[in-house]
């Protein structure tokens, strides 16, 4: 759907009614979320103007603007200016949803061992889908990442962020948005666990990089048994280097 198409959508009316609670802006946010969930509002729909929203909800313009800011930060609404501007319902990206989960994970009392154990369950279980669905472009991207990792090792510039990036891209090869969102949410905790493992065994980067490449070659050959064996050994070694 183009921006022009969005601009031509008429505002939906009759969906809102006055509210009277202490945190009014959050009530409005929750009501808009409910309308999106129930399909009353869909991506591309334009919300009524600020003035109309004020009248329908029975609140001030400041309250409406606060609610729109929250919705925009959540990736549920895009606010555009100009003649065709306004607040439009959007579909939040996988990355944005993953960021929200990542914030929850980062603020919780997770240990590196917790994260690695979860990765063993999720990433190993994803391999059948990856083997089945990985495209030539996916394989090329993974090989490029392994080449970059090995070059960084030679130059002494390798960072665990490169390993995390490889695992995120690997999960994307399953072409399942829910799985991609889950692995994106693990990015921060994954870095935490990898850094702890590196402190425990700082010279293991070379072996890990080699395993990345072996894993890609197994996926390229559609060899599930080999891919699973490599992944299990790869993650088990990380698990053995972090505290329980």
């Amino acid at each position: 759907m183009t921006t022009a198409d969005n601009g031509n959508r008429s505002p939906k009316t009759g969906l809102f009614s006055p509210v009277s609670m202490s945190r009014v802006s959050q009530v409005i946010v929750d009501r808009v979320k409910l309308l999106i969930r129930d399909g009353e509002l869909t991506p591309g729909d334009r919300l009524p103007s600020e003035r109309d929203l004020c009248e329908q909800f029975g609140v001030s313009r400041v309250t409406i603007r606060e609610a729109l800011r929250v919705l925009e930060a959540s990736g549920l609404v895009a606010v555009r200016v100009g003649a065709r501007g306004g607040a439009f319902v959007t579909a939040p990206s996988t990355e944005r949803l993953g960021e929200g989960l990542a914030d929850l994970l980062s603020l919780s009392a997770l240990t590196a061992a917790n994260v690695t154990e979860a990765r063993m369950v999720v990433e190993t279980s994803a391999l059948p889908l990856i083997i089945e669905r990985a495209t030539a472009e996916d394989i090329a991207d993974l090989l490029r990442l392994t080449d970059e990792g090995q070059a960084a090792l030679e130059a002494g510039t390798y960072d665990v962020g490169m390993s995390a990036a490889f695992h995120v891209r690997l999960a994307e090869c399953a072409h399942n948005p829910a799985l991609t969102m889950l692995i994106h949410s693990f990015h921060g905790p994954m870095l935490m666990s990898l850094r702890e493992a590196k402190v425990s065994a700082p010279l293991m980067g070379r072996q890990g990089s080699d395993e990345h490449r072996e894993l890609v070659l197994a996926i390229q050959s559609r060899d599930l048994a080999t891919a699973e064996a490599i992944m299990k050994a790869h993650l088990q070694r990380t698990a053995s280097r972090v505290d329980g």
Side-chain angles (χ1 to χ4, degrees):
M1 182 175 294
T2 64
T3 302
D5 290 336
N6 289 344
N8 292 329
R9 288 279 190 96
S10 299
K12 290 195 174 183
T13 59
L15 299 177
F16 308 102
S17 58
V19 295
S20 56
M21 294 180 67
S22 56
R23 294 190 60 193
V24 178
S25 63
Q26 186 58 48
V27 176
I28 295 171
V29 169
D30 292 342
R31 188 165 298 180
V32 172
K33 287 181 178 180
L34 180 62
L35 290 169
I36 293 173
R37 188 194 69 187
D38 291 346
E40 295 289 338
L41 290 171
T42 58
D45 286 342
R46 188 198 329 223
L47 297 182
S49 67
E50 285 186 4
R51 183 175 63 181
D52 288 343
L53 286 172
C54 289
E55 293 176 356
Q56 292 181 47
F57 280 116
V59 298
S60 69
R61 183 163 292 190
V62 171
T63 300
I64 292 298
R65 288 177 177 172
E66 181 181 349
L68 290 176
R69 280 195 295 269
V70 172
L71 290 166
E72 188 173 29
S74 301
L76 297 175
V77 163
V79 178
R80 295 195 287 272
V81 298
R84 292 181 176 272
F88 295 86
V89 177
T90 60
S93 66
T94 298
E95 290 77 9
R96 177 66 68 88
L97 292 171
E99 287 171 5
L101 285 175
D103 287 341
L104 293 175
L105 290 172
S106 297
L107 293 171
S108 63
L110 290 178
T111 66
N114 294 152
V115 174
T116 305
E117 186 175 63
R119 288 182 61 203
M120 291 178 70
V121 173
V122 174
E123 295 191 56
T124 303
S125 298
L127 282 173
L129 291 178
I130 294 171
I131 291 288
E132 177 185 348
R133 300 175 182 176
T135 65
E137 181 181 356
D138 291 329
I139 299 297
D141 279 351
L142 292 174
L143 288 173
R144 174 182 54 78
L145 289 172
T146 63
D147 288 342
E148 291 175 356
Q150 290 176 345
L153 282 166
E154 296 294 338
T157 58
Y158 188 82
D159 181 81
V160 293
M162 302 182 78
S163 178
F166 172 85
H167 284 272
V168 169
R169 183 64 182 90
L170 179 65
E172 292 173 349
C173 297
H175 296 278
N176 180 308
L179 180 62
T180 299
M181 179 183 70
L182 182 61
I183 297 300
H184 270 286
S185 74
F186 257 63
H187 187 263
M190 191 190 306
L191 286 174
M192 176 265 290
S193 65
L194 289 171
R195 289 189 180 113
E196 185 169 317
K198 184 178 180 181
V199 169
S200 174
L203 300 180
M204 296 300 288
R206 168 64 67 183
Q207 185 174 355
S209 181
D210 289 343
E211 287 170 342
H212 283 175
R213 189 167 192 84
E214 292 168 5
L215 180 59
V216 177
L217 295 177
I219 294 169
Q220 187 176 40
S221 300
R222 311 296 173 181
D223 185 346
L224 177 59
T226 298
E228 287 178 334
I230 294 169
M231 179 69 87
K232 288 176 181 177
H234 183 71
L235 293 177
Q236 185 59 53
R237 200 177 61 259
T238 299
S240 69
R241 302 192 328 256
V242 296
D243 293 333

